[in-house]
Amino acid sequence: MSKRLWFQLHGWFSLPIWVLFCFICVTGTISVISHELTWLTNSEARATNPNNLPAMPVDQVIESVESAYPSADVMSVLTYEPYLVNAVIFTDTDKPYAVAYVNQYTGEVQAVNSTISFIEFMRTLHGWLFFPWQEGYSIGYYLVSAMAFVILGALITGLVIYKNFWRAFTQPKLRFNQGRKTFLKDLHTLSGVWSIWFMAIMALTGLWYFVQAFMWHNEIDIEEHAPLVAVSTLPATKQTPPTDLKAALAATKAKYPDFKPSYVMLPEHNRGMFNIMGSGDTIFYDNYAYSTSVNPWTGEIAASKSPETMTGLQTLSHITDPLHYGNIGGLWTKVIWFIFGLILSGMSVTGFMMYTSKLVKNKPEKARQAAPVNNIQEAN
């Protein structure tokens, strides 16, 4: 295949859906630092701790909400970074759905909202463009994850077009005084070369999201469903289960000493269990890599999961998000992912500008080539 055809193919990967691609890149870049932006812009979401107090366990955080709202029915609790509040999801007589922002150091309920947070908004917008989910799939999720093919195609064709690309590492070239076309070409090439590793990560993680969407759509389970309490073990009379959340958390902590809860779901009915998810001492796994289902009637762990017991597909599922969003190393890796997310977004714009300028330039040439033919036809 000639270099010209490779260039046209590279342009095809970059141009036709550049608006959608650029939008997904920008929303993904913002999503990377959505927690930090929330802390910066929303004082109610900040977990201030001037007295350097230890964080309350989740059961005490729930008690804070129940004290403020005695008729509340708490469903689940989400924990984030230490500088953000815990989110307690509950229902009440006048609140069909509410989220309480609880400072885990003071126990204060700092706000109660009935809408999704900025973090959830950005992840949803980036993840599936707010397209609805139906029968296990979302068209938006397919559209977003399919961008992995665009990134991969642009990466491969770009490496074929620009021979000796490694020179951009040792001899970076960015010419400002040789016209707009030369500057855009240098900027696009330099950005692409330095972003090879980032584009490869985005392409590979995006491909997994696409495969995951296909599996969800075809009801292929990656994770096992949370177990239910057997009917035969339930008491004959209505009773309160003897095991509370504090004991369930203690049982999980005993099984996984480095466990930090990230998501806790309380039993919804008498057959439900405490479903507890969190992180451990592994940096490449997400905050839901460790989990237990604790039977509230017996206090026993009915099911558990950790990186050591995961299948291959489960491992992929739990390491993809940290690689895609760059939170494997905390704030420092988030900053790196944010910078290269901006670069990738800018590359889609510069690629579009270069390709369109080439199309505009080719139009007069085609017109001049067609002119003699038109003159002959008019003469005849």
Side-chain angles (χ1 to χ4, degrees):
M1 187 181 296
S2 66
K3 184 175 180 179
R4 180 182 178 185
L5 290 177
W6 277 111
F7 183 84
Q8 290 177 341
L9 186 60
H10 183 72
W12 186 88
F13 277 113
S14 304
L15 177 65
I17 49 177
W18 80 275
V19 175
L20 177 61
F21 180 74
C22 184
F23 180 80
I24 292 172
C25 288
V26 171
T27 54
T29 302
I30 297 174
S31 295
V32 168
I33 58 169
S34 58
H35 291 198
E36 289 70 28
L37 289 175
T38 297
W39 180 89
L40 187 65
T41 60
N42 187 354
S43 59
E44 295 175 340
R46 296 174 193 161
T48 55
N49 187 17
N51 298 322
N52 199 27
L53 298 171
M56 294 179 176
V58 176
D59 57 298
Q60 292 185 24
V61 171
I62 293 176
E63 289 176 3
S64 298
V65 176
E66 292 175 338
S67 297
Y69 300 91
S71 58
D73 181 14
V74 176
M75 296 182 291
S76 57
V77 181
L78 283 163
T79 64
Y80 301 101
E81 283 86 353
Y83 51 82
L84 291 178
V85 296
N86 289 178
V88 180
I89 302 171
F90 69 98
T91 60
D92 205 344
T93 53
D94 60 340
K95 297 178 179 65
Y97 176 86
V99 181
Y101 289 179
V102 183
N103 188 321
Q104 63 270 28
Y105 305 109
T106 64
E108 179 187 357
V109 179
Q110 298 183 174
V112 175
N113 295 323
S114 58
T115 57
I116 63 174
S117 66
F118 175 73
I119 297 170
E120 294 171 312
F121 173 81
M122 289 309 306
R123 289 294 177 96
T124 302
L125 184 62
H126 173 67
W128 53 91
L129 306 174
F130 273 97
F131 275 74
W133 285 83
Q134 51 189 354
E135 298 180 1
Y137 77 97
S138 168
I139 295 175
Y141 197 93
Y142 273 121
L143 283 173
V144 174
S145 57
M147 293 299 105
F149 296 100
V150 176
I151 298 176
L152 188 61
L155 176 60
I156 294 173
T157 54
L159 292 176
V160 172
I161 292 170
Y162 300 105
K163 309 279 186 191
N164 303 323
F165 63 88
W166 54 85
R167 291 178 181 173
F169 294 115
T170 58
Q171 301 173 9
K173 182 172 58 176
L174 191 59
R175 292 166 289 185
F176 295 91
N177 56 353
Q178 295 188 23
R180 174 175 174 270
K181 179 181 177 182
T182 300
F183 172 73
L184 286 176
K185 178 181 177 297
D186 288 348
L187 180 62
H188 188 80
T189 304
L190 190 63
S191 299
V193 172
W194 281 85
S195 301
I196 288 174
W197 67 273
F198 185 75
M199 294 176 67
I201 291 176
M202 293 301 105
L204 293 175
T205 53
L207 287 174
W208 165 248
Y209 289 137
F210 189 84
V211 172
Q212 187 174 249
F214 177 82
M215 296 179 70
W216 287 341
H217 194 172
N218 290 274
E219 299 181 353
I220 301 173
D221 291 331
I222 299 174
E223 305 280 356
E224 295 181 359
H225 295 283
L228 296 174
V229 176
V231 176
S232 59
T233 63
L234 294 175
T237 58
K238 187 176 181 180
Q239 300 178 17
T240 300
T243 303
D244 58 9
L245 177 58
K246 183 177 181 179
L249 288 168
T252 304
K253 186 73 173 178
K255 185 173 182 64
Y256 303 120
D258 297 316
F259 181 82
K260 295 178 181 178
S262 300
Y263 179 72
V264 174
M265 178 180 287
L266 278 64
E268 296 179 341
H269 43 74
N270 63 349
R271 293 190 62 196
M273 296 194 183
F274 292 104
N275 294 306
I276 304 171
M277 303 177 190
S279 58
D281 59 350
T282 52
I283 64 172
F284 287 105
Y285 288 80
D286 61 17
N287 291 330
Y288 309 99
Y290 293 81
S291 67
T292 61
S293 294
V294 181
N295 189 324
W297 300 99
T298 65
E300 297 177 351
I301 296 177
S304 63
K305 179 190 65 184
S306 67
E308 292 77 16
T309 62
M310 287 181 185
T311 65
L313 291 178
Q314 289 172 346
T315 298
L316 286 173
S317 179
H318 285 280
I319 67 174
T320 300
D321 268 11
L323 288 172
H324 192 77
Y325 290 101
N327 53 2
I328 54 177
L331 181 60
W332 289 109
T333 51
K334 283 186 179 183
V335 170
I336 294 172
W337 259 245
F338 175 76
I339 292 172
F340 279 90
L342 290 178
I343 292 174
L344 186 58
S345 304
M347 285 175 62
S348 67
V349 176
T350 56
F352 171 78
M353 294 172 67
M354 290 166 59
Y355 201 83
T356 50
S357 63
K358 185 176 180 64
L359 292 178
V360 171
K361 179 182 178 182
N362 288 340
K363 281 185 179 180
E365 294 180 0
K366 292 180 179 179
R368 286 195 300 269
Q369 293 173 0
V373 176
N374 294 334
N375 292 336
I376 293 173
Q377 291 177 346
E378 289 176 3
N380 293 335

